[in-house]
Structures are given as structure tokens and as C-alpha cells.
Amino acid sequence: MPSTENQQQLDIATERAKCTFNPASFTPLFYGGEDRMRRLRKIEAMIDNDPVFDRSDRYFLGRTERFKRALAMVKRYVELRNEYGFTPDESAYFKVYVDDYIPVHLHESMFLPVLRAQASEEQAKKWIPLAENYHYIGCYAQTELGHGSALSRLETIATLDIERDEWVINSPTQSSAKYWIGTLGKMANHAVVQAKLIINGKDYGAHPFLVPIRSLKDHTLLPGVFIKDMGPKQGAISMDNGYARFDHVRIPRENMLMRFSQVSRDGVYSKPIHPKLAYGGMTAVRTTLINHSALSMARGATIAIRYCAVRRQGNVNVATNLESQVLDYPGVQYRVLPLLSHAFATIFSGYWMNEMYAQYNADITKGDTSLLKDVHVYSSGLKSYCTKLGADGIEEARRCLGGHGFSLFSGMIDFHRQFLATVTYEGENALLTQQVSRYLLKLYKDVIRNPNVKLSPPSKYIFSLVDRNAFVSERCQARSLQDFYKIEVILAALHHRAARLIYELAQAEKSGTDWPQLNLECMRLSKAHVQYILVENFYNGIRKRYNSSPSASPEERNLFLAVESVYNLHVFYTIEVELSEFLEDGYFSPEQASWIHEGVKRCLQAVRPNAVGFSDCFGFTDSFLNSALGSYDGRAYERLAELAEGEPLNSKEMMENGVIWGYEQYLKPLIYGEAGPYKGGNGTSKL
Ligand SMILES: Cc1cc2nc3c(=O)[nH]c(=O)nc-3n(C[C@H](O)[C@H](O)[C@H](O)COP(=O)(O)OP(=O)(O)OC[C@H]3O[C@@H](n4cnc5c(N)ncnc54)[C@H](O)[C@@H]3O)c2cc1C
């Protein structure tokens, strides 16, 4: 019988041998094409070959050590970025691959995008080169100790002193302290501060201001500025999230970001052409979080699939005397493989959103804001849904790994902890569902008022609500399980459910229920709408990119069939999880519901043979995965033992006279009875 280690390598090799398609042919799609992938591979090699970015002992380090390491990474990163002239996209990928929040992360992910989006032309000319060259290191300070989501309740104020032509930035209360601000605690010398703009006692609401916070000479805090790192948190260990208070800090009037709103020398305020324009920076970040969710889900799925393919447990095959690969248990497949399918689904919607955002950016330079609502709503809805899908799905997959999934060496914990924050920042997920729902509700009202109104394609299904009688008699047309593989049957079901939830929200609102009491309706509706978007984009994406025609080569056809099997799993699984919403108004019959359950089983069986091949599609390097359980060669047990060698508790420093440190002082006295005899034992204590 082969040794366990060899068996694991054998198992993973056998999995690859039975894969029906070439995983490498998918990889460029995941990385946005051959050219981008080639450039990103160079970045990966740069990082893997530079000791500054070494991650081999990362799991053993505490916060202070990780922060110090991250400082060295910051310097090296900027040197490389300058030398090679990275684009913003390449810079972003560099940080993804470094896989630790280097503490200037927010400088490029929030500060610079907000400057680009909200500074006037003149301001941009002056500030952006300074920021791009890291003379200005910035953060984005919106959230306060007392308020985060409720922007209108922010307490930090910027009062115009007309005489001196200056703003006075002040945090009047403890709860007005800017809180959670990444890159603020130690690194930034500038902050974009959201503060209530006050002129002659009139409050114009929150606006962004560029506030110098540390000296450009010696990095000391500037007068009136109080800043601390906020302390340990779940994930983002090496990031200096901090808090700040401002005591009548004076900045020039021109330091208000004036692309959309302006204040003149004599204190006259002019408002933006569209109130939502000011959130441009956030929309950009939400868009990137959709792609980040796809990457994180793919990463979790890769590790979980590979380990579950080499982990044998239980049920013994008499002929081979081998236990089953746990990936062959349907209960494991059901918790791991949907994550894979969601990763694929999210990638396709990520592309869709990127294209919409690029179009919006092109339009906005010509003053055309027509896409603003859609961009805002779809980036919000997808961010809200996809980050939750990832946060929940990765944890579910981790639990599938049994005890070893609890070890940091699994590679499932460190990155997931970082990822968890995405459900909270850039718009708290549950709250974002209200924005999506409000928008859909408004479209519904528009349609009812005027059935000839124009709607963008993803919301056209709302027209089905115009004829109420026809709508309530709609029923799912599937006559067999097979019918559920048809896109028209699936889209009809997803449209019907979302439309019904819009109608119910409208009725609840009409009957006088206060908006704050409609949270659950909003969460359901936003999810229903986004699930439909994901399915449609996934379907269109594979039809557009893969050749299913009779003229397709066998290789092309196999690739198409493989991706289609993952698509089917995404569809059946999504509908199964939400089954009650298709049943409750009779749209699905109980028999149709049972076909969905059966369909999920079949989809899992269809995806299972290619599972390891799918994990290879994403092209993750072993050093990025940093996982004993999910490495390419399957040597999970050997790697667990190898990594344990690095555990500081196993080091020479922890030994004294050949035994564990502290033996003489703490253990020996116990063993030799110096702690006195135990006086309990009869079930009662002396307490
Ligand atoms: C790791 C990390 C990094 C961050 N970095 C930054 C940064 O760089 N800059 C920055 O400005 N901020 C940053 N933040 C802050 C983040 O943006 C806020 O935490 C987020 O916007 C949520 O606000 P909050 O914490 O005030 O939550 P709250 O608004 O207090 O929400 C608490 C709960 O109440 C619910 N809730 C709140 N209002 C409503 C409502 N009207 N209806 C229904 N439910 C409601 C929410 O859904 C949530 O469940 C960061 C946060 C984290 C975790």
C-alpha cells in the first residue's frame, strides 16, 4: 500500500488526469485576458523573488511585527512601482498578491480615487502628482465613532471663516472622532475628511476637504490634530486603522474638493448638478470589491477542493482498502462546490460592472449623468450580495476541512479574516439593499404611471407588473427537471419573483408602513434582483466567450460544457436556497420544487469529476495560497508538518536545559506537589 503522502499526490494527479478540459485555457479570462495575465504573472514573480515580501512565517507574527514588516513592504512596493511604472490596475494587483494590507493601502484604494473623482481640474493638477509620487500619503476619513452609515448625521464640521478665507475643521464631541480610518493611524500626512460644510451658520451637509494632518518635514502631528492607531481588530492586522480629532484646524478655502460643489471667495455655495455625484469614489471601490469577491471565493474553493480531494476518511473500498476521498461525499460537495460556481458567476458580473463603470466614466466627462443611477445601484447591490456570498461561502467551505481547517496553515483563515470587512466598509451590506430597493420601487412607480417609460435592460421585467391580473396568474412553465436547464425558464422565474417582491414592497409602503420597518422586504428584494443579474451575466458571458456550436473543436466544446456545468450548479443552488420565495405565491408547484432539489444533486455530480481542474483554472500560485492543505501537489500532511517546524514554540529559544522554557519555575513545582493537595473531589468547593 502506498504511504499516505504518496497517496495524496496520487489522488490529486488522478483528479487532474480525469479532467475533461484544459484548465489553463480558462485562466486568461479570470485575469482579464492574455496580456493582463502576462503582466500580472511578472508582478507575482517580482514579489515571490523578493525577501521583503516573504510570507513563510507570516502566520506566527503578531500585529506589531506585521506592521513593521509591512513598512518595509511599502517602501519596496513604491520603489518597484516607480521603476516599472505600474498602472493603477497593476498596483492594485501587486497589493492583492502581497496579500497583507500594507498600511498605505487606502492611499491608492480610496484617497487617490476620491481626489481623482472629486477634485476640480485645478486641484487635481496640483495635488494628484504629489499623491501619485507619495509626497502626500493620504487616507479617506468619513466614518466617525458615533456615526458611519448615516452620512447626514456626521458631526465633524468645516466652518468657513470668510475673512481669513479658511475652513475651520472641528470635532466638537468625542463621538465626532473620525474612526476606523485605514492608513490614518501612523502613515498618512493628509486626509480627505468628510465634514459638514457651514457658511454663516447654514449647514450644507457633508463635503470632502483635504486636510494636512502630519508635517511634511518630519511626519509629526500638525497643531490641533490628535491621532491614534485604534488597536487590534479582526483581520487587516498590519493596517494602521486609526482615529482622529480636530481642534479648530485651519485649512485654505481651496482645500474643499470642488469638482461638484464649490464655495467662492465671498462664501457663495453652488451645489452639484446631481446630488449622488459626490459618491463617485465609493462607487469605484464597490465595483472593485465585486472582482475581489470573485478572487476570494475562487481562492477558498481552490484550497477546499484540493484538500477534500486528497483527504480520505470513512467508508472503505474493499478492493483498494482505501477510504473515500471526502470530496465524494455529497454533503461535502454541497458545501464546497457552490462556492466555486459563485466565484465564476461573480467574475462575469464583475466584468459587466467594469464595463458599465468605464462607460459611465466616459459619459461623465461629457457631462452626461444618465448612467449614474444604474452604476450606483448595481455596484451597491452586487457589492452587498457578492461580498456576503464570499464571506459566508468561504467559512462554510473551511468547516468542510474538518479539524485541519481550523489551523492557520490551512490558508483559509488569514485571508478570510481580511475579506470579512468587505461586508461592512464601502456601504454596510444590509443598508445597501435599501438603496437598490428604493431604486426598483421608483422604477415600478414610473412604470405604473407611464407604461411607455424607458427602462434599462436589467429592470425591464418590471413591466410585467403593469397587467396585474396577468401577473398573478403567471406560473412556471417547467414540465420536467430538464426544462429548468433552459435559460428562458430560469429568467422567467427570477423575474417573476423579483417583480412580486417589488409589488409587495410598494403595497407595504402604500399602506403606510414606515420605511425603517421595511428592512426585510428590502433585503429580500435586493437579493432577488442581484441573483437574477448574476445568472443573466453568467449565461451571457459563457455564450459570448465559449464556442458551443457544431463547428467548435472538441477542446472548445469540452471547455464550454465544463463552464456550463458550473453555471447550472450556480443556478440550481441559488434557486434551491430561495425556494420558498418561488413557492409562496404558487409560481412553483411542489413538484417543480422537488425537481430543483434533484437538479442540485445532478449538478454536483456533473461538476465533481472536474473539481480539481476547476481549482487549477484560477492559476493561483502556491506562495499566494500559502496553504498546507491546498497546494498544487496535494502534499497536505507533509506540508502541515513542515510548517509546524517554523512554530516559535518549537524553537530553541523556548528550550532551557533541554526541556520547555518555564519547566523549573512553573511545571516542576506542580509535578512535585508544591501547589498543595487537591481538596475538592466530593462535588462541592469551598467557594
Ligand atoms: C476594516 C475596516 C476598515 C474601514 N476603513 C474605513 C476608512 O478607511 N474610512 C472610513 O471612513 N471608514 C472606514 N471603515 C468604516 C466603515 O465604512 C463603517 O464601519 C461602515 O460604513 C458601517 O458604519 P458603522 O460602523 O457606523 O455601522 P452602523 O451604521 O452603526 O451599523 C450598525 C448596524 O446597524 C444597521 N443599520 C444602521 N443604520 C440602519 C438603518 N438606517 N436601517 C437599517 N439598519 C441600519 C447596519 O446594517 C448594521 O448592522 C472601515 C471599517 C472597517 C471594518
Side-chain angles (χ1 to χ4, degrees), residues 496-549:
H496 178 88
R497 165 194 174 221
R500 179 174 65 80
L501 293 174
I502 294 174
Y503 179 79
E504 286 174 8
L505 179 62
Q507 294 314 298
E509 197 204 32
K510 208 165 148 190
S511 70
T513 311
D514 287 342
W515 185 256
Q517 295 309 314
L518 294 171
N519 284 185
L520 304 191
E521 286 81 353
C522 290
M523 285 157 78
R524 274 189 217 117
L525 170 56
S526 176
K527 183 173 57 167
H529 186 71
V530 172
Q531 286 175 338
Y532 141 63
I533 298 281
L534 281 170
V535 166
E536 187 168 66
N537 287 334
F538 197 169
Y539 180 83
N540 290 340
I542 58 178
R543 295 280 145 181
K544 199 161 81 185
R545 289 180 170 86
Y546 299 103
N547 195 346
S548 62
S549 71

Side-chain angles (χ1 to χ4, degrees), residues 140 142-143 148-149 180-182 241 421 424-425 428 431 434 519:
Y140 178 73
Q142 177 170 314
T143 308
S149 314
W180 274 108
I181 314 306
N241 293 79
T424 303
Y425 59 56
E428 202 278 332
L431 280 172
Q434 294 186 33
N519 284 185

Side-chain angles (χ1 to χ4, degrees), residues 101 106 109-110 139-150 178-184 192 194 230 233-236 239 241-242 282 286 383 417-418 420-434 515-519 523:
Y101 266 105
L106 273 288
S109 70
M110 275 306 284
C139 59
Y140 178 73
Q142 177 170 314
T143 308
E144 295 178 355
L145 182 58
H147 287 95
S149 314
K178 292 294 174 187
Y179 222 88
W180 274 108
I181 314 306
T183 303
L184 172 77
V192 168
Q194 283 282 1
M230 60 170 285
K233 54 212 174 272
Q234 161 139 314
M239 172 60 74
N241 293 79
M282 273 213 164
R286 279 178 202 151
K383 180 272 180 188
R417 276 192 203 146
Q418 319 260 25
L420 279 175
T422 62
V423 306
T424 303
Y425 59 56
E426 305 313 329
E428 202 278 332
N429 272 6
L431 280 172
L432 290 178
T433 67
Q434 294 186 33
W515 185 256
Q517 295 309 314
L518 294 171
N519 284 185
M523 285 157 78

Side-chain angles (χ1 to χ4, degrees), residues 50 72-85:
D50 194 323
M73 291 189 213
V74 167
K75 181 161 176 285
R76 188 71 190 122
Y77 156 67
V78 179
E79 285 166 0
L80 289 168
R81 183 199 72 128
N82 291 351
E83 186 183 340
Y84 289 92

Side-chain angles (χ1 to χ4, degrees), residues 580-607:
S580 67
E581 290 188 2
F582 296 91
L583 281 163
E584 63 193 353
D585 71 336
Y587 184 77
F588 275 8
S589 68
E591 191 180 24
Q592 287 168 331
S594 73
W595 294 336
I596 295 290
H597 288 308
E598 182 55 28
V600 169
K601 281 190 182 175
R602 290 194 192 175
C603 290
L604 292 172
Q605 286 160 8
V607 172

Side-chain angles (χ1 to χ4, degrees), residues 160-193:
L160 186 64
D161 178 340
I162 297 184
E163 219 164 275
R164 289 174 60 175
D165 200 22
E166 286 175 341
W167 297 103
V168 183
I169 310 288
N170 200 30
S171 323
T173 59
Q174 188 179 23
S175 57
S176 67
K178 292 294 174 187
Y179 222 88
W180 274 108
I181 314 306
T183 303
L184 172 77
K186 298 288 160 195
M187 303 295 286
N189 51 35
H190 281 75
V192 168
V193 174

Side-chain angles (χ1 to χ4, degrees), residues 183-476:
T183 303
L184 172 77
K186 298 288 160 195
M187 303 295 286
N189 51 35
H190 281 75
V192 168
V193 174
Q194 283 282 1
K196 280 202 288 198
L197 187 159
I198 313 276
I199 303 172
N200 292 329
K202 184 168 175 197
D203 178 353
Y204 290 86
H207 285 73
F209 299 84
L210 181 70
V211 183
I213 53 176
R214 288 187 172 94
S215 157
L216 287 171
K217 228 192 281 165
D218 57 11
H219 206 64
T220 51
L221 290 177
L222 291 175
V225 179
F226 175 87
I227 295 178
K228 291 273 177 202
D229 182 280
M230 60 170 285
K233 54 212 174 272
Q234 161 139 314
I237 293 174
S238 44
M239 172 60 74
D240 59 337
N241 293 79
Y243 64 95
R245 279 187 77 174
F246 302 98
D247 182 7
H248 299 90
V249 172
R250 287 184 167 267
I251 57 169
R253 178 180 52 84
E254 290 87 2
N255 274 29
M256 167 191 170
L257 272 62
M258 295 213 207
R259 179 166 176 192
F260 300 118
S261 315
Q262 292 93 30
V263 172
S264 65
R265 176 65 188 91
D266 49 357
V268 177
Y269 175 86
S270 27
K271 61 179 184 183
I273 44 169
H274 198 301
K276 290 260 185 299
L277 276 171
Y279 305 136
M282 273 213 164
T283 306
V285 182
R286 279 178 202 151
T287 302
T288 64
L289 286 177
I290 302 163
N291 294 317
H292 185 54
S293 303
L295 180 105
S296 302
M297 287 189 256
R299 182 175 185 174
T302 297
I303 296 171
I305 286 171
R306 288 183 182 166
Y307 177 65
C308 290
V310 302
R311 175 71 166 176
R312 289 183 174 272
Q313 200 78 187
N315 196 37
V316 178
N317 179 316
V318 182
T320 60
N321 195 29
L322 287 172
E323 293 167 277
S324 293
Q325 293 164 273
V326 297
L327 194 56
D328 283 333
Y329 292 116
V332 171
Q333 292 168 7
Y334 186 72
R335 289 177 290 156
V336 169
L337 299 183
L339 182 64
L340 173 83
S341 75
H342 302 331
F344 274 81
T346 306
I347 292 164
F348 285 103
S349 276
Y351 291 137
W352 180 76
M353 197 62 236
N354 287 347
E355 280 166 23
M356 193 193 297
Y357 189 70
Q359 185 60 52
Y360 159 76
N361 260 339
D363 292 353
I364 202 90
T365 54
K366 296 176 226 143
D368 175 0
T369 58
S370 55
L371 265 180
L372 178 70
K373 274 269 177 193
D374 272 8
V375 164
H376 174 66
V377 164
Y378 289 115
S379 63
S380 300
L382 281 164
K383 180 272 180 188
S384 166
Y385 183 74
C386 297
T387 54
K388 180 171 172 7
L389 203 57
D392 297 349
I394 295 165
E395 170 60 11
E396 188 64 32
R398 186 197 64 75
R399 291 180 196 174
C400 264
L401 309 184
H404 298 324
F406 202 65
S407 164
L408 286 193
F409 300 156
S410 68
M412 288 290 267
I413 295 174
D414 202 48
F415 92 88
H416 183 233
R417 276 192 203 146
Q418 319 260 25
F419 180 72
L420 279 175
T422 62
V423 306
T424 303
Y425 59 56
E426 305 313 329
E428 202 278 332
N429 272 6
L431 280 172
L432 290 178
T433 67
Q434 294 186 33
Q435 304 195 18
V436 178
S437 299
R438 258 191 211 285
Y439 178 64
L440 294 172
L441 193 58
K442 180 187 172 300
L443 296 184
Y444 166 70
K445 288 175 186 168
D446 291 347
V447 161
I448 296 301
R449 253 195 310 272
N450 172 16
N452 295 318
V453 72
K454 269 198 169 167
L455 295 187
S456 60
S459 31
K460 282 205 165 135
Y461 68 86
I462 299 175
F463 284 118
S464 66
L465 290 168
V466 173
D467 183 345
R468 176 83 192 131
N469 289 336
F471 183 80
V472 293
S473 60
E474 280 181 8
R475 292 292 175 270
C476 176

